[in-house]
Amino acid sequence: MIYNVGTRRYRVSTPLDASSPSSTERFCAKNSFQGSQTTKTHRITITIARALHKYLIGRQGSTLSSIREASHCKVTVPRENSKSDTVELEGSEGEIQKARDLIDKVVKENLQKVPYTHFLSLPISDLDVQRKISEFQRDIHGEYFKSLSDTSFNAPASMHVTIGMLRLLTTSEIKGAVKLLKSLHQEVYDLLGTRSLVVKVGNPAAMEANPSKARIIYLNLEDFEDAQRLEKVCGLVRSRFTDAGLIDEVRPLKIHATIMRAAQDSPTTADEPSQAADDRRRDVRVNAVPMLRRYGELSFGACKLGQIQIAKRFHFTDTGAYDSEGAILLP
């Protein structure tokens, strides 16, 4: 069954068909007899991303109980500590279909509550530009933003241009997204030709309309030869992923690289996962006017953007760059 959530098309399972099971659905029929009437019972498994299981279960099991009662179908969800993403349904065809309809409804209502897991990006990997950005961050932290935590400043090795946020909840969705990206290789080359995508990095700015109450400071990027080439490439990739239902953002594309998100840390533990630690940050506002008055036209030089990748949020390599699920190289 496929349904739309915003611009995203989401598949939970295939139509019920006991005669031709799919790879994610297995039927095990058995006969039970009641008097002279034969009742055929089916057992199937459907794939539901683990991130959605808590919504399927509900508070103290309330949602799962209501699905069972309304459908008269036996619904088994993996235990909390299990890594399985398969949900088992057992009952008649009608009972199973009713349960699946109810499960689809729960998934549809809660899908966008699940945090984004990945993002499409162009990494800024030039070491000289990274060094200059690091020095700039250190200077403005000490001179203008002393109250902010160190985590307010993005690691230079992780700098990138974000094309779009992705919510890839299963291995098959990740593989599908990588396959789609690689299929765009020729279209991207048709736009760029044989010329490398070299951009100027600089001109710090505040994301907010009122820089005296700024939260995000970013750098502008501009193609040396034609400013529209970078925008066209990002727009092409974003539109293809939107058409495929993998990007559901409504905000317009903005070409930039974030270097600071003003925040102060809440108490945390040394072994806390990075995503949990990020969630504990307390966003604040700062007056960026004096800093921008001094550094608003600062240039960090030029760098070549060498690839478009699907990066995994909160996961980094030893160098500090984001882990990549897959990428296409640029000229």
Side-chain angles (χ1 to χ4, degrees):
M1 179 175 293
I2 300 176
Y3 52 77
N4 296 317
V5 180
T7 58
R8 178 187 177 97
R9 300 175 73 239
Y10 189 82
R11 181 187 297 273
V12 174
S13 52
T14 54
L16 184 63
D17 181 1
S19 62
S20 56
S22 71
S23 60
T24 59
E25 180 174 315
R26 297 182 298 277
F27 288 82
C28 302
K30 63 179 181 180
N31 292 327
S32 60
F33 297 89
Q34 184 176 5
S36 61
Q37 185 178 14
T38 300
T39 302
K40 196 171 187 180
T41 301
H42 300 283
R43 183 184 297 115
I44 71 168
T45 59
I46 57 176
T47 300
I48 304 291
R50 281 205 52 76
L52 290 162
H53 286 191
K54 64 179 181 180
Y55 301 109
L56 184 58
I57 295 171
R59 180 173 294 183
Q60 296 181 336
S62 58
T63 303
L64 185 58
S65 294
S66 66
I67 292 173
R68 288 168 173 166
E69 292 174 6
S71 65
H72 303 290
C73 179
K74 181 180 179 181
V75 182
T76 304
V77 180
R79 294 180 180 275
E80 185 177 356
N81 59 355
S82 170
K83 294 183 179 181
S84 173
D85 58 3
T86 58
V87 174
E88 186 177 278
L89 309 179
E90 184 175 354
S92 68
E93 288 191 13
E95 291 168 345
I96 288 177
Q97 189 60 61
K98 176 64 174 177
R100 291 175 63 169
D101 290 343
L102 294 171
I103 290 171
D104 288 348
K105 184 174 183 292
V106 171
V107 170
K108 180 179 179 180
E109 291 173 347
N110 293 283
L111 181 60
Q112 291 189 322
K113 296 178 183 178
V114 178
Y116 290 114
T117 58
H118 297 75
F119 58 93
L120 277 164
S121 70
L122 295 99
I124 299 174
S125 54
D126 186 279
L127 295 180
D128 188 53
V129 170
Q130 290 180 6
R131 177 185 58 78
K132 292 177 181 178
I133 292 174
S134 178
E135 292 172 353
F136 174 67
Q137 290 174 318
R138 185 170 59 251
D139 289 344
I140 63 174
H141 191 189
E143 187 171 354
Y144 296 101
F145 308 122
K146 293 180 180 179
S147 64
L148 299 182
S149 66
D150 292 341
T151 57
S152 296
F153 299 88
N154 292 358
S158 70
M159 293 291 174
H160 62 274
V161 176
T162 299
I163 298 175
M165 302 302 296
L166 304 172
R167 191 180 284 108
L168 306 176
L169 304 180
T170 64
T171 301
S172 62
E173 285 191 336
I174 294 173
K175 290 180 178 179
V178 172
K179 182 178 180 180
L180 174 58
L181 177 60
K182 291 184 180 296
S183 74
L184 301 178
H185 184 265
Q186 188 58 52
E187 285 188 87
V188 170
Y189 263 69
D190 289 342
L191 274 178
L192 295 178
T194 58
R195 294 174 295 145
S196 297
L197 190 57
V198 180
V199 297
K200 295 179 287 186
V201 182
N203 301 102
M207 188 68 71
E208 292 70 26
N210 182 359
S212 67
K213 296 181 179 180
R215 188 172 66 90
I216 294 175
I217 302 297
Y218 67 90
L219 301 180
N220 286 283
L221 289 88
E222 182 180 350
D223 191 331
F224 256 113
E225 299 183 27
D226 179 358
Q228 292 187 345
R229 284 205 315 160
L230 175 57
E231 187 172 345
K232 286 178 179 178
V233 167
C234 292
L236 167 69
V237 176
R238 184 183 174 101
S239 67
R240 295 293 185 268
F241 272 74
T242 299
D243 291 344
L246 295 174
I247 290 180
D248 58 13
E249 294 180 282
V250 295
R251 60 182 178 180
L253 175 66
K254 181 177 178 61
I255 306 297
H256 71 286
T258 299
I259 62 169
M260 187 190 90
R261 193 185 89 182
Q264 293 175 339
D265 286 341
S266 299
T268 184
T269 59
D271 59 349
E272 186 172 24
S274 55
Q275 181 169 357
D278 186 77
D279 292 341
R280 294 168 68 95
R281 296 182 355 150
R282 181 168 62 88
D283 289 337
V284 295
R285 303 280 175 167
V286 295
N287 182 8
V289 173
M291 184 276 291
L292 294 176
R293 187 178 295 125
R294 180 176 179 181
Y295 294 114
E297 297 183 1
L298 183 65
S299 173
F300 297 93
C303 71
K304 174 185 173 181
L305 300 179
Q307 65 178 6
I308 300 174
Q309 69 176 8
I310 296 176
K312 190 174 183 180
R313 295 186 74 198
F314 309 111
H315 290 76
F316 303 90
T317 66
D318 293 339
T319 64
Y322 278 98
D323 277 338
S324 174
E325 301 282 7
I328 56 173
L329 299 180
L330 302 180

